[in-house]
Amino acid sequence: MFSGVLIEKDEQGYHAKVKQLDDSVLMQGDVTLKVEYSTLNYKDALAITGKSPVVRQFPMIPGIDLVGTVEQSDSPQFKVGDQVLLNGFGVGEVHCGGLAQKARLQSNWLIPLPKAFSPSQAMAIGTAGYTAMLCVIALQKNGVSPDKGEILVTGANGGVGSFAIHILSKLGYTVVASTGRLEESPYLHKLGAAEVIDRQTLSEPGRPLAKERWAGVIDSAGSHTLANACASTQYGGVVAACGLAQGMDFPASVAPFILRGVTLVGIDSVMRPIEDRIEAWQQLGDIIDPTVFADVAVEVSLGDVVSTAQALMDGQIRGRVIVNVNK
């Protein structure tokens, strides 16, 4: 038996709680892990609270991130005792995920735990930091260098936003952070933001084209925020879109793309090829300052997950939530 968060749906409705589970709840896979840490992401909070139909199979152990030690392996890629890392691949949505003390997974979803990070540090980064790195790589590969101008980061107090600010500033970019919690400005400046602006300047309906400002954008909001970010991006600038915290809609025009040559790059972290994941994690190992973890992440126990998920949905959580599944 092992402990885990289980989401169930029955005639009484949709509910999530920590339960004692046995191996019968686990799904097919060629590697079995003793999970050490998981995380609580926005997608996990949506799943646990039932605010969005993230989970497509019940019962389900949520948790799109995990790090653990191989206990059993039928794969030549990994042996007993290896420490491995997982982000995405539908885990926590259609395959039981990381918010439990045990997981059974497909080996082709896993990468070795990077030597630069401890298990808890890797989960402090998690899908959020890995996604932020993919966004930065997209800006770089599309020619956005630090000398080109300011980079806008929306949803700045969230996990993606926090790591995007830190990564960009370490690489020499000038970062402008957009947030709905201006009281957190000291935190954002400490991460490396040169300026903090109120998200309301971007979150309302705007014009098809606005004054050119941003050389690049990392957006986790979607909706009007993404539309306005595109409208105010410089000629030849690049916008990396990776989230939908404001909404899935995109109420924009083609004007920024056909009149200013703006590039909109979609960033998917869930089904990303393994080679892209390894590249991103290698760069994270080279760039991340370990002192950032104390500012960006908070650790909770498995028993705190359900209440913390609601707090995250209510906008009360800053940065990242690490889950010690053995506490």
Side-chain angles (χ1 to χ4, degrees):
M1 301 293 287
F2 59 95
S3 296
V5 177
L6 194 69
I7 301 173
E8 297 177 283
K9 189 176 183 181
D10 54 29
E11 60 274 8
Q12 276 78 47
Y14 181 103
H15 44 92
K17 61 182 177 181
V18 177
K19 300 182 75 170
Q20 284 295 300
L21 308 170
D22 61 38
D23 286 8
S24 65
V25 76
L26 300 176
M27 297 175 177
Q28 288 187 340
D30 57 354
V31 177
T32 302
L33 306 178
K34 181 185 186 303
V35 181
E36 296 170 51
Y37 291 91
S38 184
T39 65
L40 190 62
N41 295 280
Y42 184 71
K43 184 181 282 187
D44 300 317
L46 288 171
I48 290 166
T49 60
K51 298 290 186 184
S52 181
V54 170
V55 175
R56 300 192 290 279
Q57 186 169 333
F58 297 92
M60 177 59 59
I61 298 171
I64 65 173
D65 290 327
L66 65 84
V67 63
T69 302
V70 176
E71 285 191 329
Q72 182 179 348
S73 175
D74 296 321
S75 166
Q77 293 177 265
F78 300 104
K79 64 183 186 301
V80 173
D82 285 348
Q83 287 188 304
V84 295
L85 171 69
L86 177 135
N87 307 113
F89 280 116
V91 170
E93 302 174 69
V94 296
H95 190 102
C96 285
L99 286 168
Q101 295 171 327
K102 194 171 185 178
R104 186 179 296 129
L105 304 162
Q106 301 292 342
S107 58
N108 59 357
W109 299 342
L110 306 172
I111 65 170
L113 176 67
K115 289 184 171 31
F117 303 117
S118 70
S120 63
Q121 288 173 335
M123 288 296 94
I125 295 168
T127 285
Y130 148 65
T131 301
M133 191 70 244
L134 291 174
C135 291
V136 174
I137 290 170
L139 297 186
Q140 293 174 320
K141 288 185 174 179
N142 282 278
V144 181
S145 52
D147 61 303
K148 294 292 178 65
E150 295 173 315
I151 309 297
L152 171 69
V153 175
T154 68
N157 273 298
V160 174
S162 294
F163 273 105
I165 292 166
H166 178 71
I167 293 165
L168 287 164
S169 89
K170 293 291 286 182
L171 292 171
Y173 290 87
T174 301
V175 185
V176 177
S178 167
T179 181
R181 288 179 277 168
L182 291 175
E183 68 276 10
E184 297 285 5
S185 293
Y187 162 75
L188 299 174
H189 284 301
K190 189 174 182 181
L191 288 176
E195 183 182 347
V196 179
I197 62 174
D198 192 327
R199 73 178 178 200
Q200 287 190 339
T201 62
L202 294 163
S203 61
E204 301 297 326
R207 299 165 59 188
L209 281 178
K211 183 178 178 181
E212 295 180 51
R213 181 169 183 183
W214 319 116
V217 178
I218 295 177
D219 175 66
S220 58
S223 192
H224 292 292
T225 298
L226 177 57
N228 288 323
C230 291
S232 51
T233 294
Q234 296 174 14
Y235 189 93
V238 180
V239 179
C242 65
L244 43 68
Q246 186 181 2
M248 191 180 289
D249 59 321
F250 182 43
S253 81
V254 298
F257 311 112
I258 64 173
L259 298 180
R260 290 185 181 161
V262 170
T263 298
L264 178 59
V265 182
I267 304 296
D268 167 60
S269 63
V270 177
M271 303 305 294
R272 200 79 177 202
I274 288 291
E275 55 269 24
D276 289 358
R277 295 166 184 265
I278 291 172
E279 178 190 3
W281 278 98
Q282 285 175 339
Q283 291 206 37
L284 286 164
D286 293 338
I287 297 167
I288 295 291
D289 181 345
T291 62
V292 78
F293 296 121
D295 294 320
V296 168
V298 62
E299 182 177 308
V300 302
S301 70
L302 197 60
D304 294 326
V305 164
V306 174
S307 60
T308 307
Q310 186 58 58
L312 197 158
M313 292 303 303
D314 292 339
Q316 299 170 1
I317 302 295
R318 183 183 81 182
R320 300 280 295 141
V321 178
I322 309 168
V323 182
N324 185 335
V325 299
N326 297 300
K327 273 191 179 179

